[in-house]
Structures are given as C-alpha cells and as structure tokens.
Amino acid sequence: MSSSGGSNPKKPRIDSNSLLSAIPTRMPLANGPSTSGTRPLVALLDGRDCTIEMPILKDMATVAFCDAQSTSEIHEKVLNEATAALVWHAITLKKEDLAKFKALKLIVRIGSAYDNIDIKAAGEQGIAVANVPSQCVEEMADTTLSMILNLYRRTAWLAQTVKDGKRISTPEQIREVATGCARIRNETLGIVGLGQVGMAVALRAKVFGFNVIFFDPYLSDGIEKVLGITRIFTLQDLLYRSDCVTLHCSLNEHNHHLINDFTIKQMRPGAFLVNVSRGGLIDETALAVALKDGRIRGAALDVLENEPYNLAAGPLKDAINLLCTPRTSWYSEASSQELRENAAHEIRRGLTGKMPGSLRYCVNRDYLNVSRSTYDGVLNGVSPFSSLFPLGAPFLSQTAASQLLGDSSIQQTLTGTSNSSTPSLLSSAGNNSSVVVPLNIGESALQSAVKSAAISHGNNNGGDSASGD
Amino acid sequence: MSSSGGSNAKKQRIDSNSLLSAIPSRMPISNGPGTSGARPLVALLDGRDCAIEMPILKDMATVAFCDAQSTSEIHEKVLNEATAALVWHAITLKKEDLAKFKALKLIVRIGSAYDNIDIKAAGEQGIAVANVPSQCVEEMADTTLSMILNLYRRTAWLAQAVKEGKRVSTPEQIREVASGCARIRNETLGIVGLGQVGMAVAIRAKVFGFNVIFFDPYLSDGIDKVLGITRIFTLQDLLYRSDCVTLHCSLNEHNHHLINDFTIKQMRPGAFLVNVSRGGLIDEGALAMALKDGRIRGAALDVLENEPYNLAAGPLKDAVNLICTPRTSWYSEASSQEIRENAAHEVRRGLTGKMPGSLRYCVNRDYLNVPRSAFDSGLNGASLSSLFPLAAPFLSTAGHLLGDPSGVGSIPPPVLSSSIQQQSTTTNATSSSSTPSLLSSTGNSSPVVVPVSIGESALQSAAKAAAASHGNNNSGESAGGDSMH
C-alpha cells in the first residue's frame, strides 16, 4: 500500500483524498465522474453507425467506431484509451480479448443476448457489463409466431413456388403443392424457457388454438395459472408432447446443444422446431440429419451456431424445409432506435455515476471487482460485500469503506452508524453522527476480514495475503 | 303438359300416381327419391380424385369425374345424364353452360366461394346450388395472419435472401436487409367484411397488439362490442385509418374491384394489403402500379383475378414486395378431408330428399324454380317459398300442384286466393297449410274433398300475382284454358 502525504498516525480523522489516492486503479480516478477534464472515449467496437448514440453522449464523451469483428482489428489507441465500449453480436470478447483493453470500465451490449462476452472474466478485470434487455420482446415474439405460421401454413414456401413459376390450377395440383399444410387448432406448442419473449409467444399462440405447454426450471410456481397454460417439469416430457417446439432460453453452460441427436429422438416424429434466441442451443449437424430423415418436418431459425452468420458454411446448407432469417427477429425500425438509445443512456449512467450501482442493466454485478486494491491477489474474482450485504451493494462497492465496516474492531468504535447501508465515510452526503475510526487499523483485522470473505466465496488464492509493510 | 290416364273429371279422389306422372319434369321422377331404380349420376366436374366422395355416395349413385376446366370438355353422356355435380373453383358455370346439362338438379360447390357459378341462372333452370361454408374458417384465418406477419416481419423475404446466399453479419447489414420490418403494436388492421373468417382474424390480430377496425355494411349493431373492436361505417374511412387492410368479403355485383385506383389513393401511403377471399375484389393493374410507386408497401394475395391461377400472365408478374400463394389458404389435410366429406353428404341429402328443403347449405333458394310446370313462364323466377316462407320445405311440391291446371287435384292452400276459398267445399281440413297431404305418404286425418276443376281464372290470377310480385312477368304468357291437353 503506497502511503501518501498527510497520514499522520496520530490523527484520527480520515483524509478522504488520501484514501482515494491510496487505492490503485486503472484510471487516475476511481469510480466516479471525471474531474480531470479529459473526456472518456466510448468506442463502438463492431459497427460503423453511431448516429443515434452520438447525440446522447457527445457532451460528455468522445464517441468512435471500430467496425471490427475481432479485437485484433481494433486500433491500439482504442485499446489503450477506451473507457466504455458498445458492442453488438459480431465481436467475441473472451478473457484474453478483454485483457487487451487498458482503460476499459464498461461494456454495454446493444441487445439482450450477451454470450459473446465473457462476463465473468470481465468482472474479474473490473469491467462492468450491461445489456439492454426489454426493447425487442414483441418483435421477437411476433417473428416467432410468423415462423410458426410459416411452418404450419407453408406460406413462405408456397410463395416461392409461385414465384418460381409453377402452374397450379386444378384441385389436385393445389393439394399436391400444399401438402404439409396443417391445421393448428389443438396442436401442442412447447416453449422452452418462459422469459419475456416466451410469455409473449404463449399469449399469442393461445389465440390460434394451440395447446401451450412450457418448460422452465428457473421460474417459481404459479406462472402457468397466470397465463392459463400448462407447465411441464422435464425437458424430455415437453419434447415428447409437443408438435412444435420453440426455444426462448438464454445460453449458459447447461444448455449448449440442448437440441441434439439424443433430444431430437425424444421429439415427436414430424415435429417443427423454431429458434430465435441463441445459436448454440441447437446442434446443427443433428438437425440437418433429422430434417433429411423427416423426423423434424420443418425448422425455422433466426440464429446459427457459427459467427459470422453464414448458412452456406454450416451443416444446414442443403437442408430442405428450413427457413433461416439472418438474426433479424429483434429488428424493427422502432426497436432498433430504442435499443441504441437505451444503450447510449446506459453508457451515460455508467460514466457519470458510480458503477455498478448507477447501471440499470448490469449483468455481472456478482463477478465485478470494481476498484482494484493491494489486496488484488485475494480479492480477484471476489466481491465479498455485495454478496454479504446485498442490500447495500450499490454503496459497498467502495471497497475501502466496506473493509472498514467489515472489521469487527472498527465496528465497535463506530457510533451512530446503525444505518449500515450508508457508509458515511466516503459519501459526500455525510452522516449525522461523526464517525471516529482509527486510521491505523491494523492489517491483521483487515487481513482476517478479507480472508474470511475469500473463504466464504471459495476463492482463496492460496495464502497470498497482503502482509504487513 | 302431358295428361295421362286415370283422370276422370267426375272422380273426385286424387290418384297420386297420375299426379306424379302428370308432372312434367326433367327426370322421369320429380323431386324425391328415385323409385324407378335408376341410379343417379353424380359428376365431379373439375377434378379427378373422388376417393373421399365415393364411399359416401356409392350405394345410391354412380360417381364419375370429368377433370374439365370448361363445359366444352365435359363428355356428352355426363351433360345428358348427370343429376348432381360437384365442382371446385376451376370451372366456370355461366347460364349457357348450365343449359347444356339436361338432367342436372343439384350443384354442390366444394368450398365456400361460389362466384364461378351463376346461381341465379341455375335457379331459373331448376338447379339447386349448395356450398360447404364453414370447414376452412380457421385455416383461412391462420393463413391471413401468416401473411400479415410475413409483411410486417418480412420473414419470407428474409428467408429468401438468406437462401440466395446473401452474407449478413454486421449490424449495418442486418439493418439494411431487414429494413421495412415494422413494429406491430398499435398498428391499425382494417378488416373489410366481418364474416366468420373476418371475426377469426380479428380475434387473432388483437393479441398481437393491433388496433382492429372493420367495415361491414350488412351486419347488425353490437358485433363491435362482442369482440372489443371498432366499427367503421364507410369503406373510405376504413382505408384512411388502416395501416394494413385485409379483405374477407364475398364477391357480388357491388364490390367487384373494390380495391382500385381510386380506393388505393384513399389508403395510407405505405399500407399493406392482404386478400385471401376473392380475386375479383382487387384491380390488379392498379395494385401493380401502387406497389411500384410504393404507395402500397407490400401485398399478400392468395387469389388472383384470372382463372386459372397464373401470376405470370397478369399485371402483377414483375411486382416486388408481393407474396402470392396459389389458392391454398383454405387447405389443410384435415379441412380438405372435411369439406369433401361434407360436399358428398350434401349431394346425398339432395338426392335422397326433397330439394331445396333437404339441402343444408343451399345458396340459391330464392331463385330456385324447382318443379317445372305449365306455368313455367309465369312462375319463372317466382318461388312460392318466397310467398310462404315458413312453408317452404313443403310448398316445393304443393306449389307445383297449385300451378297445374290439368285439374287432377289441384289443392290450393287456403290463403292463395279468396275466390278459390269460396269454391272449396271443405276447407277446415286444409287449415294446416304446411302439410300438403296429397303426396305425403303419412296422409292426413281428414279427407279432403276439393273440386277438381278449380277454374283457371283463379289459378291464373294467383300465378300472375306471384309473378308480378317477383317482378318476373313473362308478359302474359299464362297457362290459358285447355292448353294443358
């Protein structure tokens, strides 16, 4: 711990400036608005068009675009200086990619799916990650229904047949070309993952006469009563019962290739499959084989496994009875506008306030290690206080204060701090009662506090403790 | 009118056999089950496949198919002998086409739209026409929603772009390829014609967030409250307010080319148009121009004006932003099975019962001139069922008798003419006018004694009154005097 001037062991008063400067961080300033006058750099990593984001940010930041599809394409200046980054889906940010950024504090994903970003690694490196979760719910639900109807009524394929010039005039020709068109009423639609989009799909599907069932292991009881649909408790059971399966779950380590050879065999022969959420949910080779055999009668996908989106490069390139749209299920002019505006506002909140508290849609709060300190070795990957004091999370991110409060020896000396959610130490709003805290806290107390926190989170860096001076 | 033996002017009892034989008709037997033993011929005019209809009809009729697209392609034997015909949409039956059939009594349209048949001319020629109205309602509504969603989310066009190999990876490329995709919530969907399909579409569209409005001049009040949608009272107003217009009306003389240059200009610039009901509702030349100018941003059609269905032959062949499906909006394997079965059952009902009463879905009852009689010229176009609507199922036979001046037992219903009533000696038994006991095998409790010679003048005046009231006066060619012999 570097000591700086003004800390006289005899003085009990806390010098806030020295505390702040005592905290080593990536930036000259810790979490908080820029007072040095330099405008932070906000970089749009994988796009070119910043016309919507610019007006919202230009008074407080410099906005630049990189139009890169990997970090190797990003200019070094951006890597060194960017404080915040805006990303779509086209760039992947793994641990090593994130390490290249020297000044980055915030990544905002323009959209709701953030599996192209390793949020855990980002948190460990002190980068907050936020998304924009709710703007496109109805567009995605409407697109899902459009795909389901295209599978049942074969509208898209029939239109293509007509465009190709096929002559259809007699009733027998009509029946032949329309073979496969099915009646919807009393068919069973199985929804995997009943988030916002899943619920919107359920409401729409009901009115067509679908018998709607869903599987979602994370929801509490009662949702099925709210919407008037049926809940199924295993994926196998849902696949067994559904005439049409639609996926609306996010991607995590448990559900990669959720639909694979084995689970496809659990589906009804001749079922339909729809996926507008994440590419990695479906094993495309298995799907290609199933489409060829006819075990799956038709599939409609908006997302593919590989990036960038390239149907011709994957196993599905020759599949028949397949409708693929290029990641457009979320898009409408209105939703695109709203999404980008909200992302820009999130950047603004992040840069002008204290992260992650000021962020509205932060997704890696639990992993976030906002302010670096000499206890890096022990604290890496651990955010003890937001988990220990969840209600106080927005305020406890200021680790110094948190450390102080966690120290039993300190607590006994604190007077009038019954309102534990407001650390008065660094808060400019102050506190009614003065807090008298010995400056020389004694590393042992701090050490023990830190160690216990580390052990409780199972992240013990093997004894690398901050030992004395 | 041929008279046959057994009708002695002095005998007051009615000889039912001679009555039957006194009735001239196309077939040896008039309306009613065949007693002569000849199996009627049922012909599928414009298709080949009778696999579903055959089992339902084969015990009582001979079923044949013609696979013709016009009457000139139909074999003469069928034209001469067919009692009933099944038609799809592929053949058009105008007045002259219908006249070619010598024995036809019933046409059943397998489907709900019957504008390929001139039902008025058919009725005048004594041919009942029936359809199968309700089997495909949900399929058509689902297809309509599929088309609306394809226009708003551009799913079909995007899938086509991907299939053609377009590379779309960056956000800008996505926005470019998807430009035109619109948000649905709070868009206004205008439904023209709120029949069964229109209502099903309204219910589905509401859940997507559409503001649903409709125009239908024929419905009574209150439908808007039932479904929770808004009623508009002029077509112009509906076109003005709608972001997407969908047509669900049948075709009649009032709404041919409902959507034309003039009405397209009343629509919002950039509106969508959907039509799964009748081809003739849209002027395709005007639509092609509007699509080209962008005044209509996209259109989805399941039906075209010209038959047979041929996109490449019409003005829409080079249109962009157009989705056309080949008359398949009604089709699902289940609905196809059901409408063919129902059509066959309707043929069965028609051949085994008395038409048009036995028919469930007869569409030309008001035009129908079922039994031919000496007063053909006077009664053409007039049906006693219109005079006595409640008695229609029963008057179809009695009416014939009433028009028969041959004197073999004309029993006037009591209300027909006061002069007749004065002449009838016993009228109390005939107060139950809805049951003509003459031909009914169940008989009547009280014997009916009616003077045989009623007097042509009374009948003539009755016939003329009926003809005049229907505006179909064949100018004085009445059955006069002894011309019946």
Side-chain angles (χ1 to χ4, degrees):
Chain A
M1 183 186 293
S2 62
S3 61
S4 53
S7 337
N8 190 329
K10 290 197 225 132
K11 286 190 190 158
R13 266 195 320 276
I14 307 302
D15 185 334
S16 56
N17 277 339
S18 54
L19 271 176
L20 282 172
S21 48
I23 302 167
T25 54
R26 280 179 154 173
M27 291 272 286
L29 289 159
N31 221 348
S34 164
T35 58
S36 68
T38 56
R39 290 156 63 90
L41 177 63
V42 176
L44 171 61
L45 296 186
D46 53 354
R48 298 178 65 81
D49 181 3
C50 322
T51 48
I52 294 179
E53 296 86 347
M54 188 79 77
I56 298 172
L57 294 171
K58 65 180 180 186
D59 61 321
M60 52 149 291
T62 308
V63 181
F65 68 84
C66 307
D67 198 17
Q69 304 220 337
S70 75
T71 44
S72 52
E73 298 174 34
I74 300 180
H75 196 275
E76 195 163 343
K77 189 167 147 77
V78 172
L79 290 173
N80 289 335
E81 297 182 15
T83 312
L86 285 160
V87 299
W88 292 87
H89 61 275
I91 188 171
T92 309
L93 295 174
K94 294 193 174 53
K95 188 169 179 171
E96 46 275 12
D97 300 303
L98 295 164
K100 292 186 191 172
F101 290 88
K102 303 286 175 271
L104 197 60
K105 290 196 302 173
L106 170 63
I107 299 175
V108 173
R109 164 74 169 95
I110 311 179
S112 54
Y114 46 85
D115 9 272
N116 53 330
I117 307 170
D118 185 345
I119 62 170
K120 190 155 179 272
E124 288 166 9
Q125 298 179 30
I127 306 172
V129 179
N131 69 346
V132 188
S134 315
Q135 293 324 111
C136 307
V137 170
E138 290 202 307
E139 276 80 5
M140 291 184 72
D142 295 341
T143 299
T144 305
L145 258 298
S146 178
M147 289 180 154
I148 294 173
L149 287 171
N150 272 329
L151 289 172
Y152 271 93
R153 306 303 302 143
R154 296 182 73 86
T155 316
W157 290 317
L158 288 168
Q160 191 51 40
T161 307
V162 170
K163 210 166 162 194
D164 290 340
K166 188 158 177 172
R167 294 290 306 278
I168 296 159
S169 47
T170 70
E172 283 78 27
Q173 287 171 334
I174 288 183
R175 290 203 286 271
E176 187 193 335
V177 80
T179 301
C181 288
R183 173 169 281 179
I184 289 182
R185 185 157 289 278
N186 297 327
E187 291 269 300
T188 300
L189 177 70
I191 301 179
V192 180
L194 201 76
Q196 291 182 338
V197 180
M199 277 199 224
V201 169
L203 288 171
R204 285 156 175 72
K206 278 186 72 174
V207 85
F208 286 89
F210 274 110
N211 164 36
V212 181
I213 63 178
F214 76 97
F215 166 71
D216 191 318
Y218 302 106
L219 288 181
S220 51
D221 292 342
I223 300 290
E224 66 273 12
K225 292 180 176 53
V226 172
L227 301 179
I229 59 183
T230 306
R231 186 168 193 170
I232 307 296
F233 294 93
T234 65
L235 179 65
Q236 176 170 350
D237 204 5
L238 180 127
L239 296 176
Y240 180 70
R241 297 190 197 202
S242 302
D243 300 301
C244 178
V245 178
T246 173
L247 308 176
H248 296 287
C249 34
S250 56
L251 192 62
N252 56 43
E253 58 270 15
H254 302 295
N255 61 17
H256 181 73
H257 280 191
L258 188 72
I259 304 296
N260 52 47
D261 268 324
F262 181 64
T263 51
I264 287 178
K265 290 187 167 69
Q266 292 168 346
M267 289 168 71
R268 289 193 170 174
F272 292 126
L273 181 64
V274 177
N275 183 17
V276 304
S277 38
R278 308 284 194 276
L281 291 168
I282 298 181
D283 175 0
E284 288 173 14
T285 314
L287 178 61
V289 171
L291 282 169
K292 194 152 150 266
D293 295 343
R295 277 180 288 124
I296 288 185
R297 196 188 311 181
L301 311 176
D302 187 59
V303 282
L304 297 178
E305 277 191 277
N306 43 353
E307 279 298 330
Y309 188 102
N310 192 351
L311 183 63
L316 290 171
K317 64 175 160 61
D318 295 319
I320 54 173
N321 290 333
L322 178 67
L323 273 176
C324 280
T325 55
R327 275 185 168 271
T328 48
S329 64
W330 61 276
Y331 182 84
S332 76
E333 280 133 16
S335 74
S336 172
Q337 175 100 9
E338 285 173 7
L339 203 62
R340 294 169 67 185
E341 284 173 356
N342 281 13
H345 282 299
E346 186 75 346
I347 297 261
R348 203 182 169 89
R349 283 189 286 266
L351 293 181
T352 57
K354 298 180 171 71
M355 288 195 280
S358 54
L359 293 174
R360 201 161 170 178
Y361 306 117
C362 183
V363 298
N364 66 346
R365 212 180 284 270
D366 285 347
Y367 302 117
L368 196 52
N369 175 28
V370 172
S371 43
R372 301 278 278 289
S373 66
T374 46
Y375 295 98
D376 260 353
V378 178
L379 283 175
N380 260 353
V382 172
S383 167
F385 304 101
S386 61
S387 312
L388 290 174
F389 309 109
L391 293 177
F395 307 95
L396 288 173
S397 57
Q398 298 166 40
T399 318
S402 311
Q403 290 172 348
L404 290 169
L405 286 168
D407 186 341
S408 56
S409 64
I410 298 168
Q411 280 178 341
Q412 290 163 2
T413 62
L414 287 177
T415 55
T417 52
S418 52
N419 180 10
S420 65
S421 62
T422 313
S424 58
L425 216 53
L426 291 180
S427 163
S428 52
N431 198 330
N432 293 337
S433 47
S434 58
V435 173
V436 177
V437 177
L439 183 60
N440 188 5
I441 285 173
E443 294 153 5
S444 60
L446 280 170
Q447 276 181 357
S448 59
V450 164
K451 275 184 192 157
S452 58
I455 289 167
S456 69
H457 281 75
N459 190 359
N460 201 336
N461 272 9
D464 182 15
S465 59
S467 55
D469 279 325
Chain B
M1 187 181 299
S2 60
S3 62
S4 54
S7 337
N8 188 332
K10 290 200 226 122
K11 281 194 197 152
Q12 291 180 348
R13 263 193 323 273
I14 307 303
D15 185 335
S16 56
N17 277 339
S18 53
L19 271 176
L20 281 171
S21 46
I23 302 167
S25 56
R26 283 177 154 175
M27 290 272 286
I29 306 163
S30 75
N31 220 349
T35 60
S36 69
R39 286 158 66 89
L41 177 63
V42 176
L44 171 60
L45 297 186
D46 53 355
R48 300 179 62 82
D49 180 5
C50 320
I52 293 179
E53 296 86 348
M54 187 79 78
I56 297 173
L57 294 172
K58 66 181 178 185
D59 62 321
M60 54 150 289
T62 309
V63 182
F65 68 84
C66 307
D67 199 15
Q69 304 220 336
S70 75
T71 44
S72 52
E73 297 174 35
I74 299 180
H75 196 275
E76 196 163 343
K77 188 169 148 77
V78 172
L79 290 174
N80 289 335
E81 296 183 15
T83 312
L86 287 159
V87 299
W88 291 87
H89 61 274
I91 188 170
T92 309
L93 297 173
K94 294 193 175 57
K95 189 170 179 170
E96 46 274 14
D97 299 305
L98 294 165
K100 291 186 191 173
F101 290 88
K102 302 287 176 269
L104 197 59
K105 290 196 302 172
L106 172 62
I107 299 174
V108 174
R109 164 75 169 95
I110 312 178
S112 55
Y114 47 84
D115 8 271
N116 54 328
I117 307 169
D118 185 344
I119 62 170
K120 191 156 179 274
E124 288 166 9
Q125 298 180 33
I127 305 172
V129 179
N131 69 347
V132 187
S134 313
Q135 294 324 111
C136 306
V137 170
E138 290 200 308
E139 277 80 5
M140 293 183 74
D142 296 340
T143 300
T144 305
L145 259 297
S146 178
M147 290 181 152
I148 294 173
L149 287 171
N150 272 328
L151 289 172
Y152 272 91
R153 308 301 303 143
R154 295 181 73 87
T155 315
W157 290 317
L158 288 169
Q160 190 52 31
V162 169
K163 206 164 165 197
E164 286 167 2
K166 190 159 180 168
R167 293 293 305 277
V168 178
S169 48
T170 70
E172 283 76 27
Q173 286 171 336
I174 288 181
R175 289 202 287 271
E176 187 193 335
V177 79
S179 88
C181 288
R183 173 169 281 181
I184 289 182
R185 184 157 290 275
N186 297 326
E187 291 269 301
T188 300
L189 178 71
I191 301 179
V192 180
L194 201 74
Q196 292 183 339
V197 179
M199 276 197 226
V201 169
I203 293 171
R204 286 156 173 72
K206 277 186 74 176
V207 85
F208 286 89
F210 273 111
N211 165 35
V212 180
I213 65 178
F214 76 98
F215 166 71
D216 192 318
Y218 302 106
L219 287 182
S220 52
D221 290 345
I223 302 290
D224 45 337
K225 293 178 175 56
V226 170
L227 300 179
I229 58 183
T230 305
R231 188 167 193 171
I232 307 296
F233 294 93
T234 65
L235 179 67
Q236 176 169 349
D237 204 4
L238 180 128
L239 296 177
Y240 180 71
R241 297 190 196 199
S242 302
D243 300 300
C244 179
V245 177
T246 173
L247 308 177
H248 296 288
C249 35
S250 55
L251 192 61
N252 56 43
E253 58 271 14
H254 303 295
N255 60 17
H256 179 74
H257 280 190
L258 189 73
I259 303 296
N260 53 49
D261 267 325
F262 181 65
T263 50
I264 287 179
K265 289 187 169 67
Q266 293 168 348
M267 290 169 70
R268 288 194 171 175
F272 291 126
L273 180 64
V274 177
N275 183 18
V276 303
S277 39
R278 309 284 194 274
L281 292 167
I282 297 182
D283 176 356
E284 288 171 16
L287 177 61
M289 274 196 18
L291 283 169
K292 194 152 148 264
D293 296 343
R295 278 179 286 123
I296 287 184
R297 197 187 311 180
L301 312 176
D302 186 58
V303 283
L304 298 178
E305 276 191 279
N306 44 351
E307 279 298 331
Y309 188 103
N310 192 351
L311 183 63
L316 290 170
K317 65 176 159 65
D318 296 321
V320 296
N321 290 333
L322 178 67
I323 295 176
C324 279
T325 55
R327 275 184 168 271
T328 49
S329 62
W330 61 277
Y331 182 84
S332 76
E333 281 132 17
S335 74
S336 172
Q337 175 100 12
E338 285 172 9
I339 60 168
R340 293 172 67 185
E341 286 174 353
N342 281 13
H345 281 299
E346 187 75 344
V347 170
R348 200 183 172 89
R349 282 190 287 267
L351 293 182
T352 56
K354 300 182 171 69
M355 289 195 281
S358 54
L359 294 174
R360 200 161 173 181
Y361 306 118
C362 183
V363 298
N364 67 346
R365 212 181 283 270
D366 285 348
Y367 302 117
L368 196 52
N369 174 31
V370 170
R372 299 279 276 290
S373 69
F375 294 97
D376 260 352
S377 48
L379 283 176
N380 259 354
S383 159
L384 282 165
S385 63
S386 315
L387 291 175
F388 309 109
L390 292 178
F394 306 97
L395 286 175
S396 54
T397 352
H400 158 79
L401 284 174
L402 291 165
D404 181 1
S406 67
V408 279
S410 313
I411 297 190
V415 296
L416 188 57
S417 159
S418 54
S419 63
I420 296 174
Q421 284 178 338
Q422 288 160 6
Q423 290 185 22
S424 63
T425 50
T426 39
T427 55
N428 49 350
T430 54
S431 53
S432 160
S433 61
S434 60
T435 311
S437 57
L438 214 54
L439 288 180
S440 162
S441 52
T442 56
N444 197 330
S445 47
S446 50
V448 174
V449 178
V450 176
V452 170
S453 62
I454 284 178
E456 292 152 8
S457 59
L459 281 169
Q460 274 183 357
S461 59
K464 278 186 189 155
S469 70
H470 282 77
N472 191 359
N473 200 338
N474 275 8
S475 59
E477 185 188 353
S478 59
D482 280 325
S483 56
M484 77 284 291
H485 296 296

